Amino acid sequence: MTRRGKGPLDPEALLRLGTSEHYEDPELYDFEYRDHRHDVAWYRGLARDRGLRQRVVELGAGTGRISLPLCHDGHSVVAVDRMPTMLDHLRRKAAGAPTDVAARLEPVLGDITALPLPDASADLVFAPFNVLMHLYSWEDLLRCFREAARVLVPGGRFAFDVLLPDLEWLTWDPEERHSVTHFTHPRSGAAMVYSTNHTYDPHTQVCHVRIYYDDAPKRPRAFKPPPEPVQVVHLAHRQIFPEELRHLVAAAGLTLDSLGGNFRGTRLAPGIDSQCGLCTRPSGHV
């Protein structure tokens, strides 16, 4: 795996890039995921079912795709993220929201394995949109689950979603481009092409995704990857299997209420994209 004419990247460098590069351009990030709505509805529904004015902690809140709708619903949200670029963009978006909505939002720069929050200070903790897949060891995953349990009130709920590992997809040809999509860049207005490929490391369970941005060919010519892309963005996702999630929930002292697929509660099976977990901090949890 290389970057724009440079030498191969070592595993640690790949993880550093894969943890942050995709989140350094929040405007492009918002544009790319503007139609991703099913998870927003699921998390809003969980908060609504629990009642009015819930205290929510969102892990990996990013630009507020989920946090801001929760604030619009009347809940208070502590939006935790490790990327200043994403939180700065969230603050700009909140500044354009009604005053009462912005007042319910608290952006916090922090580590989701060591939350800068007091014990029993949240009714709900949400870890949406694969944020847990940026925790690359079982130790960090367990720390995060334990932190979620710690900040929850007794009876509070922790909800999360991560991709269901697709063993066939993980072994696709790492040189072939996939998801080839023509788009107009939201800032420059340039006609561009988005495509991806990936390499899976079964030893670490990390999939290293490469996102390529290229100038679009003049139509009707078909897109052919050029020797040098305009930009390559790395994204590292640790694959988390269902039994591992069940173990993490139990080891953190939480009770698993459900683990289903695609925000519908369906049984996990081939063709399911997302694992959606919902668990509770028992009343006697210490």
Side-chain angles (χ1 to χ4, degrees):
M1 285 172 271
T2 60
R3 298 187 76 205
R4 304 286 308 270
K6 300 181 181 180
L9 292 166
D10 64 63
E12 288 301 317
L14 272 175
L15 285 181
R16 287 194 299 272
L17 293 172
T19 303
S20 57
E21 272 195 341
H22 190 47
Y23 312 105
E24 290 172 355
D25 187 339
E27 290 178 80
L28 184 57
Y29 178 91
D30 272 355
F31 176 78
E32 290 179 344
Y33 298 111
R34 64 196 183 283
D35 296 327
H36 200 79
R37 298 291 181 190
H38 44 285
D39 57 342
V40 180
W42 190 66
Y43 287 105
R44 291 177 85 172
L46 292 176
R48 180 178 60 249
D49 290 347
R50 191 173 170 92
L52 300 174
R53 294 184 292 277
Q54 295 297 297
R55 296 170 298 169
V56 182
V57 174
E58 185 185 351
L59 310 183
T63 63
R65 194 172 55 84
I66 290 171
S67 288
L68 287 174
L70 289 169
C71 291
H72 275 279
D73 292 344
H75 309 295
S76 299
V77 180
V78 177
V80 182
D81 203 282
R82 64 179 294 277
M83 293 293 293
T85 49
M86 300 292 271
L87 289 181
D88 287 345
H89 194 64
L90 170 57
R91 292 185 183 96
R92 288 192 292 271
K93 289 166 69 173
T99 303
D100 60 328
V101 172
R104 288 191 282 271
L105 178 72
E106 182 184 355
V108 172
L109 185 66
D111 180 348
I112 64 173
T113 69
L115 295 171
L117 303 172
D119 296 355
S121 57
D123 302 301
L124 295 161
V125 176
F126 293 157
F129 204 29
N130 310 321
V131 65
L132 297 176
M133 297 174 73
H134 283 303
L135 301 176
Y136 304 116
S137 69
W138 69 264
E139 293 97 336
D140 277 346
L141 277 164
L142 183 55
R143 289 186 190 102
C144 179
F145 276 68
R146 285 176 171 167
E147 281 292 89
R150 179 184 66 79
V151 302
L152 282 171
V153 297
R157 307 192 88 179
F158 177 38
F160 56 85
D161 68 273
V162 296
L163 294 175
L164 178 64
D166 182 334
L167 299 181
E168 181 183 358
W169 177 83
L170 289 171
T171 59
W172 280 5
D173 183 348
E175 300 301 322
E176 185 179 345
R177 299 280 191 94
H178 311 288
S179 304
V180 176
T181 304
H182 290 255
F183 74 101
T184 301
H185 195 283
R187 277 195 310 277
S188 69
M192 302 195 74
V193 174
Y194 165 106
S195 60
T196 70
N197 57 27
H198 56 270
T199 304
Y200 179 55
D201 179 359
H203 184 75
T204 61
Q205 294 180 209
V206 176
C207 185
H208 296 280
V209 180
R210 294 168 295 278
I211 304 170
Y212 299 88
Y213 297 95
D214 293 289
D215 294 323
K218 293 186 182 299
R219 295 183 184 268
R221 284 190 296 165
F223 171 70
K224 293 183 179 179
E228 288 290 337
V230 172
Q231 184 182 14
V232 182
V233 172
H234 292 79
L235 176 65
H237 269 169
R238 184 187 188 278
Q239 305 302 295
I240 310 174
F241 290 84
E243 278 294 272
E244 188 175 6
L245 288 169
R246 296 182 182 105
H247 176 73
L248 287 163
V249 169
L254 297 163
T255 299
L256 183 64
D257 302 313
S258 63
L259 182 64
N262 287 355
F263 305 96
R264 300 188 189 96
T266 54
R267 188 177 189 275
L268 299 177
I272 294 291
D273 294 320
S274 295
Q275 305 175 82
C276 307
L278 182 61
C279 41
T280 300
R281 173 182 168 172
S283 297
H285 178 83
V286 179

